[in-house]
Amino acid sequence: MRKLTLAALILAPLLLQACGEPVPEGATVIRAARLYTAPDRPPIDDAAILVVDGRIAAAGPSASIAARGAASFAQCDGGTVVAGFQNSHVHFTDAKFADAASKPAGELTAALDDMLNRYGFTTVVDTASNLQNTVALRTRVDAGEVAGPRILTAGGALYPKNGIPIYLSDLPPDVLAALSQPGTVEEALASIEANIDSGADATKLFLMTPQGGGRYAFMQPDIAIAAADETHRRGLLVLAHPTDIEGINLAIEAGVDVLVHTTIGEGKTDWEPALIDQLISKSMAVIPTLQLWPYELKRAKLEPRIVELATADTVEQLRAFAKAGGQVLFGTDVGYMSDYDPTEEYRLMARALSPMEILASLTTAPAARWKEKARRGVIDVGLDADLVVLDADPAADVVNFAKVRCTIRGGRVIHPVAPAGG
Ligand SMILES: [Zn+2]
């Protein structure tokens, strides 16, 4: 016995070395049939990602990753792993997110899972909502009480004076009365200050809004310019809802950073080369929201032929913008749009972009736009462990971007999650 113990004592360190150093306490390993660390790098088959303290500690071929003793998210193993997705256009205005400060955590987790977690979103940009409620939701997510994505928010948007869009006219009178419609630069600056001081991460401008009967309201250029300048002075981004080409021209003039839609205006819908040149020279990003257009036009009972023509115009806008080198940010307007499944968005984007360009719009492009490349967007050592496990390779078929097996944010599985109380 004594002899055996001695032998074990001598051999143990050698065995340890042969198998690699034991992993730190709390480490978790995810096994991937295929791993894309970034859209512009070749995939790695039979790979592993080691997560420690919510960050990526190692990622590469399985044989090269020392994972002895690591825990596993067994239900997440065996898929195609990519970096966590950002949906750059969402809203938390639905009733199921109301009273976020007091609603049971399980209900909020279920609501977030239904709209976002189950589709791989680890970061979202709320492009207008009730700021106080969204901040309450974000606080509970950040505390780990509710499972959900990281939330960046534009808070309350600014509208043209007497220019609430006709599609919002059904909102309750008290909600309508609270929407900011600055008539002067001073009023706009006061709105922006209150919004940012209360937790907003960006400013959202409605530059051109439909009023019914073919009429539109426009934000005064001096107000739009002052709003953008003040937001930039605070180091934040300006998002704009353009509606039509005239709205895009106003966004260019104001110095907007992100257009939150392509356009299906009533007039000319081509994005001419001169317009695209200006978008590129001003480093503006575009969120295509392609799936939203057939959704809206079908609700308006337009003929399928017209719906397809209008949708094809927006696909063409995206193609021309991306071909010129424009930065595309994935976004679907869920929360306004009740169809949460992004499969159709991926199908439509694939008419203009490659699968890896779509992956960039979900990962590296938004990380760059939000100046967060040092913490997210790719799968590299030291970055946040924001990961999506897909059932199959999206390069083979883009609909696989929507077939999410697991969503991991900061090393924690946020989809699938145990039911409330479980
Ligand atoms: Zn929206």
Side-chain angles (χ1 to χ4, degrees), residues 89 91 127 204 261 333 336:
H89 191 152
H91 298 280
T127 64
K204 164 83 173 285
H261 293 292
D333 210 355
Y336 169 75

Side-chain angles (χ1 to χ4, degrees), residues 82-94:
V82 292
F85 296 161
Q86 174 167 320
N87 191 328
S88 295
H89 191 152
V90 312
H91 298 280
F92 292 110
T93 37
D94 194 276

